[in-house]
Amino acid sequence: MATKAVRAKKLKVAIRGPGKTAIKLTVNGETHELLIEPRRTLLNALRKDLGLTGTKKACDEGTCGTCTVLLEGKPIYACMALAIECDGKSVETIESLSKDGQLHPIQRAFIAEDALQCGFCTPGQIMSVKALLDENPNPTLDDVKRVLSGNLCRCGAYPKLFQAALRAADLVRTGR
Amino acid sequence: MPKVIKTKTEFEGHVFEEYVVVEGEGLSAWEPQAPLKFVGQKTPRIDGPERVTGRALYTFDVQLPGMLYGKILRSPHPHAKIKKLDTRRAAKLPGVRAVLSYKNTPKISFRQGQTFVFDEIVRYVGDEVACVIADDEEIAEDALELIEVEYELLPFVLDPEEALQPHAPKVQLSGNLLNGKPDLYERGDLDQGFAQAGVIVEGAFKTQCALHNCMETHGSVALWEGDSLTIWDSTQHIFGVRAAAAQLLGLPLNKVRVIKKYMGGGFGSKNGLGKYTVIAALGAKMTGRPVKIMLDRHEENLAAGNRPATVQHLKIGAKHDGTLTALELRASVGAGAFCTWPPSVGGPARQLYLCPNVKTEQHTVFTNTGPLSAFRAPGYVEGTFALESLMDELARKLDIDPIELRLKNYTEIDQMTGRPYSTKGLREAYERGTKLFGWDLTPRSPSLKGRGGSPPTLGEGLGERFRRGFGMASQIWSGNGSPPAYALVKLNPDGTATVISGTQDIGTGTKTVLAQVAAEELDFPIEKISVEIGDTQLGPYAPLSAGSMTVASVGPAVRVAAHDARQQLLDIAAQVLEVPRESLTICDGLLSSSAIKEPVAVKDVLEKLENFMIIGRGAREPNPEDVTVNTFGVQFAEVAVDTETGEVKVERIVAVHDSGRVINPLTLSSQIEGGIIQGLGYALCEQRVVDKATGVVINGNLENYKLPTALDIPEIVFEMVDQPDPRANNLGVKGVGEPPIIPTAAAIANAVADAIGVRISELPITRDKVLKALKKE
Ligand code: FES
Ligand code: FES
């Protein structure tokens, strides 16, 4: 069945290494300097080097969407990008959404609709919905389905994910 | 004083007798119409904020100072003896801290002696050979390639039927048939039953091997502090892992602590201790540093369990009016290389219908493939597919409405034990489902035939190339819950309460449901309740979160503990406030009495006692002996089959289930929908494919193992019978985790048969099978 590849267009990367190399990564508004192996994925850099474990990994090969983050505002599979590809770029992760202890409307919608079971795919789903709403504040059910088709949920929270995305759109639109 | 009681418990089709300790007051279930404040409410998950912010800590997220990573070398051969193993080059790679194998670790027997943690014989592609512990995963992976192994290849067998042949290679020394004999069940006189039959239908049904593919893979983190071991494990049974790890590592129970705060799915595959856990513990001991081993997606699909493939020969005899006279099932199940827990494929045939003459025979067979594990309603999903498919054929043959046929063979008596069911809402489920779905409007309905058989179009018109079909199937499953399960409810000096139990939330919303139960019994606002689970050091014992038994086992214990805490609170408050005990009541966390003017907050009483903490204790009461507690349900499917491409599109599923009282309709609806969606994947697209020549799993990843995605989701409509079962337990609840996956594939298969007029008796119903069936037509 369909899987949608969510990937930014091919980035130009200068050859680096062997050995560790320095990069600058702006994550959730904060700039970090990292010394990393060139083969380090963005996902591992976020999780292991920056301790941002909210972004999950379920396949590490671009087939599930669990690791979805926003790179320069566009959704990507963080397991499919090398950290060095993101040098100088800005990344948004699930940790950026709630501000001052206030949940983001998407997060509130996910809780209200129970759009999660085990919750492991949830950060990726939320980031995909975020990308959708940033681009299209008034999505149809079909838009939602298409966007989420790149995010697997083994628990089968799909019907609730659809409702949550639509409710979130409503909350965002009406500024609630 | 604690009471010791001997009781029977049932788990996934197996019955046990055990002693349980019961403490606390026996409470009777709330009346069906009792006004309840929290139970029955759509309470959003109390741990929702952690889950949506990424702050929920999964085993995969545990990062400890100095932590190392382990990667396992797995056998590339389906059956071989390791002749030579040289790890020296791997060990020299910078960043590698240890290499573990059978050479430098104790010989630890695993899976009841069927293998060792590191065995010199490997029995499937993916069997553990060695493990590298290194500073990082990538280094460990590099090192795996430097390990030199020389294998002596042994003959292998992949197919269960072949494995039963006399000269088949032996997967296990004791032979390829589990326990050396088939699992046999008989009642009545089968021959006589078939002799009485006016019609006989039979068929061979095949179900595929399905992979759980939990989004969080299996894995553990092990940390030694002195001689104490702490294990973070993505498990459905912290106490089970504690007991097994202690035993295998030779440790006393009080030196092993198992923690599981959040987990990314289990579906039965995480019911017990994994080799990776033991290896992580050994590696941590060897290196003196914490070690994390998480399987990758490919390993997960080789070594972390599966729903085994089955072949089922089923034969049903019935009178012309539809009354069943005989049911015979011969099933073979491919266990893979190891198996200590065979699924009960014959369960539905033995239990679902009134039938005096039944025989089921199950051969569970070892093969050189990855070992099976429980998978959401193990055996029953497979068995229901065969039984309900053939019942559909019988209805066709007798020209009886499928629902009518099922009602004809309806039983209020558990056919296995002769005891009545505590409650059985299946008749009501049929009625409500029939209406919800509009079954009487489908061309299958006799009433429509009476009107001349012109099928009305439900939904949109489909055009020439599509054919629409309708089908239904029923479900039976235990889901009764049982002791032993214990809980504590602590009342803190500030008037908040903490529920503690050694259970675990595998994604179903356990914490929230337990908070609702405690809030109800205490009559505290739910915001004042927190729930601590998933840590063997914190909580008293609770059973594994499987078998649809968590709420029905732990929930009643929590209610008793809350009741105990409430009684203590009243005792104390009466003395502190100097009012008669009988005059005191609690409402919304406030104490009132006719003897005082204003209600007093619990906090104001408890704070007077310095830091005294009320601790209520509760145990799950034994199950009733004179009735059987089971769950029931029915699902209807509407499909559209594309006759050009063979694609089956499920357009609508309607489900009505009886799982007793509903505590939380919101989290319950997630369970129902999730079960149906997994059932849909099983019906249409999921299948592990093993290469016959090499024993290699060729689609052990999420690209080629096809899971349902957002684009495959049909309209799902469901209702619960929602009748409290007062005999079941003090909450009147039954389980709901597994029931919804059980009938889905059968209902879809019946709808496909209705659409194309040909029965497809092999899952998954993929396009090639549909096209083949259409040509046969
Ligand atoms: S973990 Fe990145 S797509 Fe699966
Ligand atoms: S909630 Fe479990 S995978 Fe989506």
Side-chain angles (χ1 to χ4, degrees), chain A residues 43 56-68 76-80 150, chain B residues 215 702:
Chain A
L43 177 59
K56 306 299 183 210
K57 171 171 93 182
C59 75
D60 212 16
E61 53 191 11
T63 58
C64 72
T66 311
C67 61
T68 304
I76 62 155
Y77 290 166
C79 70
M80 296 301 284
Chain B
M215 285 290 115
L702 292 173

Side-chain angles (χ1 to χ4, degrees), chain A residues 116-122 153-155, chain B residues 215:
Chain A
L116 54 94
Q117 290 176 44
C118 75
F120 203 74
C121 72
T122 309
C153 174
R154 184 46 156 164
C155 298
Chain B
M215 285 290 115

